């Protein structure tokens, strides 16, 4: 009798797990402390302090000395950008940086938006907070959190911010109007780096959620690419009732299910069977050339930074020219893969040297390159696809701007398994990985259409 009861209980438990168990609906918020030493018993100071980007003459003199002492390596003949940043073109960039680049002018541009710092979970978080210069009658500004990635910075958003905060002033429809908050990820730019291991995308999502609450926003929109896309996704998983909409220009689809792997093999021949559109097929196939080899070629940095970031960080933090080459190479082939075949990497086709070097300078003057690279180790050291946030569905209304030269294309057929409420998915006509930096008008218009669609419901 007891054996029969026990057997029934076991069978019942198995059936329950198979038939009735559901996925976790939200990502646990948790808590953290990333400051030096032990967490103090006293309440954290929540003061929001004004901040200004400044550098001293001594810092600039040191930079110039290091540039002047650079030891260049001649490139392989005809190598263009196939071996990395071509040192012949690098000499031109460095010459411009040393003799023509006006950092003081760029400081004025950086400081045209209000900067702040506030301490969250033991570390100083830097952010810019841009309010609309004026609001149309009866219109309310919508809070929008925008998050950058690597090797970018808050500066990536400087050209898109006016289109979002002052659309009427740029010949766009009056609504929606946004109030934009752009924080620096901990360890990037002017945000303090974590002093302890484990500060990953989920931790940063929680920190930015606390930032938005501290600014008085209980409901807000979020937008991101690169690491910003993952952080914003985690935020939507963590506090779905506070995130009104999630807008991405890069998708994180880390769990490769069997059907998805099957679609990689047969999707070129039977696209409709797997939900592929014609544009999906054009971007993915031939798979070896456009996907597999491309990812292998462009992801060497990732393995390095996900395993031993401090080793290369020592050299990059000591050499401004080495730092520039390491960062700017990404703005070449991540913008357009075919730029690999150009002597100058096509850098000045989409960006100005002033903008590119301003981003490099943010890394140099803050000394953040090593801590920025550690973010890869914090997120990837436990493997890909098996973390808790990989298993929690994203139910927040989601908009996706899919740019053709992104590092890896994510079809909607794959995305909808994880992002279960995609209300806007569009193939953008041009652009690559750094969408806000490269194509601010395209990204702004897609984001505004997405929010307009949500607000009209």
């Amino acid at each position: 009798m007891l054996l029969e009861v026990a057997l029934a209980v076991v069978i019942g438990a198995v059936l329950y797990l198979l038939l009735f168990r559901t996925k976790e609906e939200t990502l646990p918020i948790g808590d953290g402390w990333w400051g030096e030493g032990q967490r103090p018993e006293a309440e954290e100071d929540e003061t929001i302090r004004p901040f200004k980007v400044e550098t001293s003459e001594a810092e600039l003199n040191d930079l110039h000395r290091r540039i002047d002492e650079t030891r260049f390596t001649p490139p392989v003949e005809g190598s263009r950008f196939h071996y990395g940043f071509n040192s012949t073109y690098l000499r031109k960039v460095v010459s411009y940086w040393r003799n023509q680049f006006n950092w003081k002018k760029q400081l004025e541009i950086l400081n045209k938006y209000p900067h702040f710092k506030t301490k969250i979970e033991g570390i100083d978080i830097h952010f810019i907070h841009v309010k609309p210069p004026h609001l149309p009658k009866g219109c309310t500004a919508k809070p929008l959190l925008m998050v950058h990635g690597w090797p970018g910075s808050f500066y990536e958003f400087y050209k898109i911010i006016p289109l979002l905060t002052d659309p009427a002033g740029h010949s766009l429809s009056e609504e929606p109007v946004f109030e934009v908050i752009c924080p620096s990820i901990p360890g990037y730019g002017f945000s303090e780096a974590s002093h302890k291991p484990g500060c990953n995308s989920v931790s940063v999502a929680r920190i930015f959620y606390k930032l938005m609450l501290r600014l008085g926003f209980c409901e807000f929109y979020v937008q991101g690419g690169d690491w910003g896309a993952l952080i914003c996704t985690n935020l939507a998983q963590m506090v779905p009732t506070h995130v009104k909409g999630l807008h991405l220009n890069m998708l994180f689809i880390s769990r490769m299910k069997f059907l998805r792997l099957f679609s990689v093999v047969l999707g070129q021949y039977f696209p409709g069977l797997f939900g592929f559109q014609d544009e999906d097929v054009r971007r993915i196939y031939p798979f070896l050339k456009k996907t597999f080899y491309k990812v292998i070629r462009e992801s060497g940095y990732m393995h390095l930074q996900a395993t031993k970031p401090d080793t290369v960080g020592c050299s990059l933090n000591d050499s401004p020219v080495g730092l520039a080459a390491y960062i700017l190479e990404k703005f070449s082939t991540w913008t357009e893969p075919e730029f690999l075949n150009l002597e100058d990497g096509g850098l000045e086709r989409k960006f100005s040297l002033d903008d590119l070097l301003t981003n490099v300078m943010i890394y140099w003057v803050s000394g953040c390159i090593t801590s920025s690279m550690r973010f890869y180790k914090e997120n990837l050291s436990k493997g890909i696809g098996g973390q808790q946030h990989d298993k929690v569905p994203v139910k927040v209304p989601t908009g996706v701007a899919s740019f053709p030269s992104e590092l890896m294309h994510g079809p909607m057929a794959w995305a909808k398994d994880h992002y279960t409420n995609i209300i806007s998915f569009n193939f953008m006509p041009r652009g690559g990985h750094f969408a806000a930096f490269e194509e601010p008008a395209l990204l702004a218009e897609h984001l505004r259409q997405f929010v307009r669609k949500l607000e009209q419901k």
Side-chain angles (χ1 to χ4, degrees):
M1 180 66 179
L2 288 175
L3 182 61
E4 292 174 348
V5 171
L7 186 60
V9 169
V10 170
I11 293 173
V14 170
L15 288 173
Y16 174 81
L17 290 173
L18 291 175
L19 300 176
F20 299 105
R21 186 179 64 175
T22 59
K23 293 181 180 178
E24 287 186 81
E25 295 297 312
T26 60
L27 196 62
I29 294 178
D31 198 7
W33 174 260
W34 312 107
E36 291 185 90
Q38 291 188 345
R39 187 171 194 162
E41 294 182 5
E43 290 291 321
E44 190 164 69
D45 181 5
E46 297 187 356
T47 304
I48 296 173
R49 314 181 308 275
F51 172 76
K52 187 177 182 181
V53 183
E54 296 177 307
T55 51
S56 66
E57 284 300 319
E59 288 175 299
L60 290 180
N61 290 337
D62 175 69
L63 168 66
H64 293 157
R65 177 187 62 78
R66 291 169 185 265
I67 290 176
D68 291 339
E69 294 175 355
T70 300
R71 183 173 62 177
F72 290 93
T73 301
V76 174
E77 292 179 6
S79 59
R80 292 160 289 180
F81 263 56
H82 285 268
Y83 283 66
F85 205 107
N86 186 287
S87 59
T88 301
Y89 178 62
L90 181 60
R91 286 178 181 271
K92 176 188 173 183
V93 173
V94 170
S95 175
Y96 181 87
W97 191 6
R98 178 65 176 88
N99 302 306
Q100 295 169 265
F101 179 70
N102 189 338
W103 175 237
K104 292 182 179 178
K105 177 185 174 183
Q106 296 306 114
L107 279 177
E108 292 178 4
I109 293 173
L110 285 175
N111 287 314
K112 73 178 181 179
Y113 295 133
H115 292 249
F116 302 91
K117 283 190 176 184
T118 188
K119 196 169 287 292
I120 303 176
E121 298 191 5
I123 53 177
D124 268 339
I125 301 300
H126 160 262
F127 63 98
I128 59 174
H129 186 177
V130 188
K131 299 180 180 181
H134 56 268
L135 282 170
K137 189 175 181 180
C139 177
T140 303
K142 293 158 181 59
L144 170 67
L145 177 74
M146 303 189 79
V147 186
H148 66 88
W150 187 91
S153 64
F154 63 91
Y155 184 62
E156 288 181 66
F157 300 117
Y158 267 51
K159 286 183 172 63
I160 196 174
I161 286 173
L163 307 180
L164 300 173
T165 58
D166 184 24
H170 293 81
S171 303
L172 301 173
S173 58
E174 288 187 337
E175 294 194 63
V177 179
F178 296 94
E179 183 172 339
V180 178
I181 298 91
C182 299
S184 295
I185 297 171
Y188 286 69
F190 304 107
S191 278
E192 186 178 355
S194 170
H195 298 270
K196 296 178 171 58
C199 187
N200 58 16
S201 64
V202 175
S203 305
V204 175
R206 180 181 63 244
I207 288 171
F208 289 171
Y209 170 56
K210 291 180 179 180
L211 172 64
M212 294 302 279
L213 292 182
R214 190 169 296 182
L215 292 172
F217 302 121
C218 291
E219 291 186 328
F220 48 89
Y221 290 94
V222 295
Q223 198 286 326
D226 196 83
W227 283 129
L230 182 57
I231 291 166
C232 289
T233 294
N234 293 159
L235 234 172
Q237 294 169 309
M238 190 179 290
V239 286
T241 58
H242 294 266
V243 177
K244 295 183 69 176
L246 168 67
H247 188 274
L248 306 171
N249 56 277
M250 182 179 180
L251 288 168
F252 275 81
I253 308 171
S254 54
R255 301 187 77 195
M256 288 303 290
K257 298 179 180 179
F258 176 76
L259 184 61
R260 201 172 297 159
L261 291 171
F262 205 51
S263 72
V264 168
V265 178
L266 298 177
Q268 184 176 9
Y269 309 103
F270 307 101
L273 183 65
F274 300 101
F276 287 173
Q277 299 180 52
D278 291 343
E279 184 63 19
D280 292 320
V281 175
R282 277 192 289 270
R283 293 187 184 186
I284 296 173
Y285 301 100
F287 183 77
L288 286 179
K289 177 185 177 182
K290 290 190 176 180
T291 305
F292 183 76
Y293 291 146
K294 179 182 174 183
V295 170
I296 293 296
R297 185 182 67 235
E298 297 297 336
S299 62
Y301 81 99
M302 184 184 295
H303 183 75
L304 182 67
Q305 293 174 194
T307 52
K308 298 180 179 180
D310 284 27
T311 303
V312 69
C314 290
S315 58
L316 297 178
N317 199 44
D318 189 61
S319 168
V321 174
L323 177 70
Y326 195 73
I327 289 177
L328 295 183
E329 182 240 305
K330 307 308 179 193
F331 285 87
S332 168
T333 49
W334 290 8
T335 298
E336 169 52 59
E338 293 304 314
F339 285 172
L340 193 75
N341 299 310
L342 302 176
E343 295 289 343
D344 63 357
L347 276 177
E348 295 175 72
R349 296 192 178 194
K350 292 295 185 77
F351 310 105
S352 71
L353 285 181
D354 282 341
D355 283 339
L356 291 170
L357 288 171
T358 297
N359 183 63
V360 171
M361 284 292 286
I362 289 170
Y363 278 83
W364 178 257
V365 300
S366 66
C368 74
I369 185 62
T370 305
S371 55
S372 74
M373 296 191 299
R374 287 175 187 159
F375 201 55
Y376 283 80
K377 186 169 182 66
E378 304 299 2
N379 284 291
L380 301 175
S381 61
K382 295 181 180 178
I384 299 174
Q387 298 189 55
Q388 192 172 12
H389 64 79
D390 293 311
K391 304 167 187 176
V392 176
V394 182
K395 297 186 177 182
V396 167
T398 302
V400 179
S402 179
F403 286 84
S405 296
E406 183 54 271
L407 286 168
M408 184 173 180
H409 177 60
M412 183 172 176
W414 294 355
K416 65 183 182 181
D417 289 340
H418 189 53
Y419 300 91
T420 60
N421 191 11
I422 297 176
I423 66 167
S424 175
F425 186 106
N426 293 93
F427 297 109
M428 308 306 284
R430 62 186 179 276
H433 184 70
F434 304 97
F437 206 35
E438 179 192 348
E439 296 289 349
L442 282 178
L443 186 65
E445 185 53 33
H446 190 272
L447 172 59
R448 296 179 78 241
Q449 288 177 358
F450 166 67
V451 172
R452 195 180 297 124
K453 189 173 183 179
L454 279 178
E455 293 289 328
Q456 290 173 352
K457 280 190 175 182

